[in-house]
Amino acid sequence: MSLPGNANRDNFGSKFGILAAAAGSAVGLGNVWKFPYVTGQNGGGAFLLIYLACVLLLGVSVMLSEFSIGRRGQRNVFGSFKSLAPNTPWYFAGIMGVVAAFVILSFYSAVAGWTLEYIVHSVDGSFHSGEPLSNAFNNFITHPVRPILWQLVFMALTALIVVGGVKNGIEKYNKILMPLLVIFLLILCVRAITLPNSVEGLKFLFTPDFSKITAKTVLFAMGQAFFSLSLGMGALITYSSYFKKTENLGITAINVSIADTVIAVLSGVVIFPAVFAFHIEPSAGPSLVFITLPEIFRQMPLGSIFGFIFFALLAVAALTSTVSLLEVVVAYFSEEFKITRKKSIIITIIFASILGVFASLSFGPLSSVLIFKKSIFDLLDFVASNVLLPLGGLLIVIFVGWYMTKRDVRDEVSNGGTLNVPFFPYFRFIVRFIAPVAIAAIFIYSIFYGSLG
Ligand code: PFF
């Protein structure tokens, strides 16, 4: 028998709300900002193929594992582990998830804030001012105040959504923002593929060049898939604790993974044709979106409008992700310490902003502060993406594959035996054998060889 739901908890109201919120968490800067530039740096189509394999082989199963823990546990990420494994140290995996969410929220909101500055720049004519766009970008991110103000605005927007609760906040806004994001993306896709020479960009994205593939690329693709699907840290455990007991977890995991991957690929379809149409190097790295693209918008007819749409898309993608990060921490504080959501939000936002300000300043006034040879921003990113996420992912798959009984996992995935789950043996095999080895490999490699990026 599946465990009863907790009638006193706020829950998602609809299937579409669940999909929008979970896809909203997954689709973020990782898709629109990071995926295109890492693809550009790692061989285009070959990287794409490996990335797809990682999502299909590992991502979907790890996501389904997280859904099983959250919905069965019926609490925040820490509480869910505690209720499924009482009197064991498994709650430690939950604490790690809360810490990871807090750390990611702090530095992710710095880059998210940049998107707001760029929304303004696309319409105020700054891209056309004649100043080299790389200077403009560097002047902005090294400025001691402006990026911080935008970061705080972004935190405030995130808090305003989360304060409404699950149904009237997270679900309500994701149901508006995610369709908006898809519309923005489709407009930009049409614009990009009708540019002269766009075929070159598409060829770059879709033709595999296997000579660029090394073991490192494979591990990197796996790490990117994890980050992009919001795995390994409890965001999806927290969200799934609000899922209905009748929700089909397997189908939801597949739909969210498909949505996340399609949006990453379409972001590539927006960016690479534009890059090739304007004869720009596709492997520009992190600056691809903030320097290369504005250059393109500067040269393109109606560039201000397309620039506005692009950066609004980036901001919306980031916002629905920071909402899920904040919810992880807020659910933890409010449920475990019995304080109101409002108080938990205020506390979390204050502390995440303080850490976030240091992350932001590490591009400018604090750029000389290096810890383990990394700037504060890079260190936070490294600790979260290369240590906490893989370790969290490893604990999650070991928990579902080896700690929970086969009966309990099957019971949760099949909604108490009411759903047909023909994929169950494959899922269980992946979670028990393939995923732990693959995730351990990413983890060990990234610890010993530094950032995979
Ligand atoms: N998946 C988000 C992205 O691709 O930008 C980042 C993220 C959000 C990671 C939420 C982890 C998370 F819990």
Side-chain angles (χ1 to χ4, degrees), residues 24-31 101 104 108 224 226-231 233-236 260 317 321-322 324-325 328 389:
S25 171
V27 173
L29 297 171
N31 303 61
I104 298 179
Y108 194 88
Q224 168 66 13
F226 253 70
F227 185 80
S228 184
L229 294 170
S230 296
L231 298 175
M233 49 141 298
L236 297 181
D260 187 69
S321 295
T322 50
S324 72
L325 291 164
V328 172
L389 290 194

mmCIF file of all heavy atoms in Angstrom, residues 24-31 101 104 108 224 226-231 233-236 260 317 321-322 324-325 328 389, ligand 1:
data_model
loop_
_atom_site.group_PDB
_atom_site.id
_atom_site.type_symbol
_atom_site.label_atom_id
_atom_site.label_comp_id
_atom_site.label_asym_id
_atom_site.label_seq_id
_atom_site.Cartn_x
_atom_site.Cartn_y
_atom_site.Cartn_z
ATOM 1 N N GLY A 24 10.045 23.950 -14.956
ATOM 2 C CA GLY A 24 10.527 25.300 -14.626
ATOM 3 C C GLY A 24 11.807 25.236 -13.805
ATOM 4 O O GLY A 24 12.731 26.016 -14.006
ATOM 5 N N SER A 25 11.875 24.277 -12.885
ATOM 6 C CA SER A 25 13.098 24.114 -12.103
ATOM 7 C C SER A 25 14.242 23.681 -13.021
ATOM 8 O O SER A 25 15.349 24.212 -12.967
ATOM 9 C CB SER A 25 12.876 23.058 -11.020
ATOM 10 O OG SER A 25 14.100 22.753 -10.395
ATOM 11 N N ALA A 26 13.942 22.714 -13.877
ATOM 12 C CA ALA A 26 14.996 22.154 -14.727
ATOM 13 C C ALA A 26 15.486 23.166 -15.768
ATOM 14 O O ALA A 26 16.689 23.355 -15.962
ATOM 15 C CB ALA A 26 14.484 20.888 -15.412
ATOM 16 N N VAL A 27 14.550 23.830 -16.423
ATOM 17 C CA VAL A 27 14.947 24.767 -17.485
ATOM 18 C C VAL A 27 15.439 26.051 -16.840
ATOM 19 O O VAL A 27 14.712 26.707 -16.104
ATOM 20 C CB VAL A 27 13.737 25.087 -18.393
ATOM 21 C CG1 VAL A 27 14.104 26.175 -19.385
ATOM 22 C CG2 VAL A 27 13.278 23.833 -19.109
ATOM 23 N N GLY A 28 16.692 26.374 -17.097
ATOM 24 C CA GLY A 28 17.240 27.573 -16.467
ATOM 25 C C GLY A 28 18.456 28.064 -17.220
ATOM 26 O O GLY A 28 18.622 27.785 -18.415
ATOM 27 N N LEU A 29 19.326 28.771 -16.496
ATOM 28 C CA LEU A 29 20.547 29.270 -17.126
ATOM 29 C C LEU A 29 21.352 28.109 -17.691
ATOM 30 O O LEU A 29 22.072 28.257 -18.676
ATOM 31 C CB LEU A 29 21.391 30.012 -16.092
ATOM 32 C CG LEU A 29 20.743 31.275 -15.501
ATOM 33 C CD1 LEU A 29 21.582 31.797 -14.335
ATOM 34 C CD2 LEU A 29 20.600 32.343 -16.578
ATOM 35 N N GLY A 30 21.213 26.936 -17.059
ATOM 36 C CA GLY A 30 21.919 25.742 -17.528
ATOM 37 C C GLY A 30 21.548 25.391 -18.957
ATOM 38 O O GLY A 30 22.383 24.873 -19.706
ATOM 39 N N ASN A 31 20.317 25.667 -19.355
ATOM 40 C CA ASN A 31 19.883 25.337 -20.717
ATOM 41 C C ASN A 31 20.233 26.444 -21.713
ATOM 42 O O ASN A 31 20.747 26.193 -22.788
ATOM 43 C CB ASN A 31 18.361 25.166 -20.779
ATOM 44 C CG ASN A 31 17.877 24.110 -19.820
ATOM 45 O OD1 ASN A 31 18.057 24.235 -18.624
ATOM 46 N ND2 ASN A 31 17.293 23.067 -20.356
ATOM 47 N N ALA A 101 21.181 23.671 -2.279
ATOM 48 C CA ALA A 101 20.185 24.610 -2.817
ATOM 49 C C ALA A 101 20.518 26.034 -2.384
ATOM 50 O O ALA A 101 20.461 26.973 -3.177
ATOM 51 C CB ALA A 101 18.791 24.228 -2.332
ATOM 52 N N ILE A 104 23.654 27.228 -4.328
ATOM 53 C CA ILE A 104 23.367 27.513 -5.750
ATOM 54 C C ILE A 104 22.531 28.788 -5.853
ATOM 55 O O ILE A 104 22.792 29.646 -6.698
ATOM 56 C CB ILE A 104 22.649 26.329 -6.440
ATOM 57 C CG1 ILE A 104 23.542 25.086 -6.423
ATOM 58 C CG2 ILE A 104 22.322 26.670 -7.903
ATOM 59 C CD1 ILE A 104 22.922 23.856 -7.058
ATOM 60 N N TYR A 108 23.815 31.642 -8.283
ATOM 61 C CA TYR A 108 22.980 31.589 -9.499
ATOM 62 C C TYR A 108 22.239 32.922 -9.660
ATOM 63 O O TYR A 108 22.076 33.443 -10.758
ATOM 64 C CB TYR A 108 21.999 30.448 -9.317
ATOM 65 C CG TYR A 108 21.236 29.950 -10.525
ATOM 66 C CD1 TYR A 108 21.768 28.958 -11.338
ATOM 67 C CD2 TYR A 108 19.966 30.418 -10.818
ATOM 68 C CE1 TYR A 108 21.044 28.444 -12.403
ATOM 69 C CE2 TYR A 108 19.244 29.922 -11.882
ATOM 70 C CZ TYR A 108 19.790 28.935 -12.674
ATOM 71 O OH TYR A 108 19.069 28.428 -13.726
ATOM 72 N N GLN A 224 26.731 18.145 -16.767
ATOM 73 C CA GLN A 224 25.828 19.160 -17.315
ATOM 74 C C GLN A 224 24.381 18.650 -17.296
ATOM 75 O O GLN A 224 23.462 19.382 -16.959
ATOM 76 C CB GLN A 224 26.280 19.538 -18.742
ATOM 77 C CG GLN A 224 25.295 20.369 -19.550
ATOM 78 C CD GLN A 224 25.066 21.780 -18.990
ATOM 79 O OE1 GLN A 224 25.805 22.248 -18.127
ATOM 80 N NE2 GLN A 224 24.019 22.437 -19.454
ATOM 81 N N PHE A 226 23.088 16.560 -15.221
ATOM 82 C CA PHE A 226 22.625 16.605 -13.823
ATOM 83 C C PHE A 226 22.180 17.996 -13.418
ATOM 84 O O PHE A 226 21.122 18.200 -12.840
ATOM 85 C CB PHE A 226 23.781 16.175 -12.905
ATOM 86 C CG PHE A 226 23.557 14.827 -12.359
ATOM 87 C CD1 PHE A 226 23.645 13.732 -13.196
ATOM 88 C CD2 PHE A 226 23.235 14.638 -11.034
ATOM 89 C CE1 PHE A 226 23.413 12.477 -12.715
ATOM 90 C CE2 PHE A 226 23.004 13.388 -10.530
ATOM 91 C CZ PHE A 226 23.099 12.304 -11.374
ATOM 92 N N PHE A 227 23.051 18.958 -13.722
ATOM 93 C CA PHE A 227 22.740 20.338 -13.330
ATOM 94 C C PHE A 227 21.496 20.809 -14.061
ATOM 95 O O PHE A 227 20.591 21.409 -13.484
ATOM 96 C CB PHE A 227 23.932 21.245 -13.669
ATOM 97 C CG PHE A 227 23.756 22.657 -13.192
ATOM 98 C CD1 PHE A 227 23.989 22.987 -11.863
ATOM 99 C CD2 PHE A 227 23.351 23.664 -14.056
ATOM 100 C CE1 PHE A 227 23.816 24.287 -11.406
ATOM 101 C CE2 PHE A 227 23.174 24.964 -13.615
ATOM 102 C CZ PHE A 227 23.422 25.276 -12.280
ATOM 103 N N SER A 228 21.441 20.501 -15.348
ATOM 104 C CA SER A 228 20.332 20.991 -16.157
ATOM 105 C C SER A 228 19.003 20.382 -15.727
ATOM 106 O O SER A 228 17.976 21.057 -15.754
ATOM 107 C CB SER A 228 20.609 20.692 -17.631
ATOM 108 O OG SER A 228 19.588 21.239 -18.409
ATOM 109 N N LEU A 229 19.024 19.130 -15.318
ATOM 110 C CA LEU A 229 17.762 18.494 -14.916
ATOM 111 C C LEU A 229 17.433 18.767 -13.438
ATOM 112 O O LEU A 229 16.468 18.233 -12.910
ATOM 113 C CB LEU A 229 17.829 16.978 -15.155
ATOM 114 C CG LEU A 229 17.935 16.534 -16.628
ATOM 115 C CD1 LEU A 229 18.246 15.041 -16.715
ATOM 116 C CD2 LEU A 229 16.649 16.829 -17.393
ATOM 117 N N SER A 230 18.223 19.610 -12.789
ATOM 118 C CA SER A 230 18.035 19.934 -11.355
ATOM 119 C C SER A 230 18.122 18.704 -10.464
ATOM 120 O O SER A 230 17.368 18.575 -9.497
ATOM 121 C CB SER A 230 16.673 20.589 -11.089
ATOM 122 O OG SER A 230 16.560 21.804 -11.719
ATOM 123 N N LEU A 231 19.056 17.795 -10.786
ATOM 124 C CA LEU A 231 19.133 16.562 -10.007
ATOM 125 C C LEU A 231 20.179 16.659 -8.905
ATOM 126 O O LEU A 231 21.050 17.511 -8.935
ATOM 127 C CB LEU A 231 19.508 15.396 -10.932
ATOM 128 C CG LEU A 231 18.496 15.104 -12.045
ATOM 129 C CD1 LEU A 231 19.025 14.015 -12.964
ATOM 130 C CD2 LEU A 231 17.153 14.712 -11.459
ATOM 131 N N MET A 233 20.050 17.275 -5.601
ATOM 132 C CA MET A 233 20.073 18.155 -4.448
ATOM 133 C C MET A 233 18.721 18.400 -3.803
ATOM 134 O O MET A 233 18.611 19.230 -2.914
ATOM 135 C CB MET A 233 20.682 19.474 -4.842
ATOM 136 C CG MET A 233 20.063 19.991 -6.096
ATOM 137 S SD MET A 233 19.836 21.715 -6.059
ATOM 138 C CE MET A 233 18.743 21.834 -4.726
ATOM 139 N N GLY A 234 17.706 17.713 -4.260
ATOM 140 C CA GLY A 234 16.468 17.821 -3.494
ATOM 141 C C GLY A 234 15.432 18.794 -4.015
ATOM 142 O O GLY A 234 14.356 18.900 -3.434
ATOM 143 N N ALA A 235 15.730 19.504 -5.096
ATOM 144 C CA ALA A 235 14.695 20.411 -5.624
ATOM 145 C C ALA A 235 13.502 19.564 -6.083
ATOM 146 O O ALA A 235 12.346 19.873 -5.775
ATOM 147 C CB ALA A 235 15.239 21.229 -6.789
ATOM 148 N N LEU A 236 13.801 18.472 -6.780
ATOM 149 C CA LEU A 236 12.700 17.662 -7.290
ATOM 150 C C LEU A 236 12.121 16.752 -6.209
ATOM 151 O O LEU A 236 10.963 16.352 -6.286
ATOM 152 C CB LEU A 236 13.152 16.871 -8.522
ATOM 153 C CG LEU A 236 13.559 17.785 -9.692
ATOM 154 C CD1 LEU A 236 13.980 16.980 -10.913
ATOM 155 C CD2 LEU A 236 12.433 18.747 -10.071
ATOM 156 N N ASP A 260 13.143 19.641 -20.832
ATOM 157 C CA ASP A 260 14.416 20.288 -20.513
ATOM 158 C C ASP A 260 15.400 20.154 -21.674
ATOM 159 O O ASP A 260 16.083 21.114 -22.048
ATOM 160 C CB ASP A 260 15.010 19.649 -19.253
ATOM 161 C CG ASP A 260 16.248 20.378 -18.780
ATOM 162 O OD1 ASP A 260 16.098 21.519 -18.308
ATOM 163 O OD2 ASP A 260 17.352 19.825 -18.901
ATOM 164 N N ALA A 317 13.607 31.897 -17.444
ATOM 165 C CA ALA A 317 14.175 30.562 -17.218
ATOM 166 C C ALA A 317 14.866 30.523 -15.860
ATOM 167 O O ALA A 317 14.694 29.580 -15.077
ATOM 168 C CB ALA A 317 15.160 30.217 -18.331
ATOM 169 N N SER A 321 13.788 28.625 -11.920
ATOM 170 C CA SER A 321 14.771 27.753 -11.252
ATOM 171 C C SER A 321 15.079 28.254 -9.849
ATOM 172 O O SER A 321 15.155 27.460 -8.903
ATOM 173 C CB SER A 321 16.073 27.683 -12.059
ATOM 174 O OG SER A 321 15.835 27.060 -13.288
ATOM 175 N N THR A 322 15.248 29.577 -9.686
ATOM 176 C CA THR A 322 15.559 30.072 -8.331
ATOM 177 C C THR A 322 14.364 29.838 -7.401
ATOM 178 O O THR A 322 14.547 29.613 -6.210
ATOM 179 C CB THR A 322 15.937 31.576 -8.323
ATOM 180 O OG1 THR A 322 14.955 32.312 -9.046
ATOM 181 C CG2 THR A 322 17.303 31.813 -8.928
ATOM 182 N N SER A 324 12.543 27.196 -7.360
ATOM 183 C CA SER A 324 12.642 25.824 -6.836
ATOM 184 C C SER A 324 13.776 25.704 -5.824
ATOM 185 O O SER A 324 13.685 24.936 -4.867
ATOM 186 C CB SER A 324 12.823 24.816 -7.978
ATOM 187 O OG SER A 324 14.114 24.897 -8.535
ATOM 188 N N LEU A 325 14.839 26.475 -6.025
ATOM 189 C CA LEU A 325 15.951 26.435 -5.068
ATOM 190 C C LEU A 325 15.515 27.011 -3.723
ATOM 191 O O LEU A 325 15.788 26.450 -2.663
ATOM 192 C CB LEU A 325 17.140 27.243 -5.615
ATOM 193 C CG LEU A 325 17.845 26.650 -6.832
ATOM 194 C CD1 LEU A 325 18.728 27.685 -7.514
ATOM 195 C CD2 LEU A 325 18.684 25.446 -6.414
ATOM 196 N N VAL A 328 13.292 24.641 -1.644
ATOM 197 C CA VAL A 328 13.986 23.561 -0.916
ATOM 198 C C VAL A 328 14.322 24.019 0.499
ATOM 199 O O VAL A 328 14.057 23.331 1.492
ATOM 200 C CB VAL A 328 15.297 23.168 -1.648
ATOM 201 C CG1 VAL A 328 16.122 22.190 -0.811
ATOM 202 C CG2 VAL A 328 15.005 22.581 -3.007
ATOM 203 N N LEU A 389 26.329 18.256 -5.724
ATOM 204 C CA LEU A 389 25.353 17.621 -6.634
ATOM 205 C C LEU A 389 25.691 16.165 -6.936
ATOM 206 O O LEU A 389 24.839 15.294 -6.778
ATOM 207 C CB LEU A 389 25.187 18.406 -7.940
ATOM 208 C CG LEU A 389 24.479 19.764 -7.878
ATOM 209 C CD1 LEU A 389 24.097 20.234 -9.273
ATOM 210 C CD2 LEU A 389 23.264 19.730 -6.996
HETATM 211 N N1 PFF B 1 18.421 23.220 -13.661
HETATM 212 C C1 PFF B 1 18.781 24.605 -13.502
HETATM 213 C C2 PFF B 1 19.414 25.084 -14.799
HETATM 214 O O1 PFF B 1 19.585 24.295 -15.731
HETATM 215 O O2 PFF B 1 19.758 26.253 -14.857
HETATM 216 C C3 PFF B 1 19.698 24.859 -12.337
HETATM 217 C C4 PFF B 1 19.227 24.231 -11.077
HETATM 218 C C5 PFF B 1 18.005 24.601 -10.546
HETATM 219 C C6 PFF B 1 20.000 23.247 -10.488
HETATM 220 C C7 PFF B 1 17.536 23.973 -9.424
HETATM 221 C C8 PFF B 1 19.549 22.623 -9.365
HETATM 222 C C9 PFF B 1 18.313 22.997 -8.863
HETATM 223 F F1 PFF B 1 17.871 22.395 -7.813
#
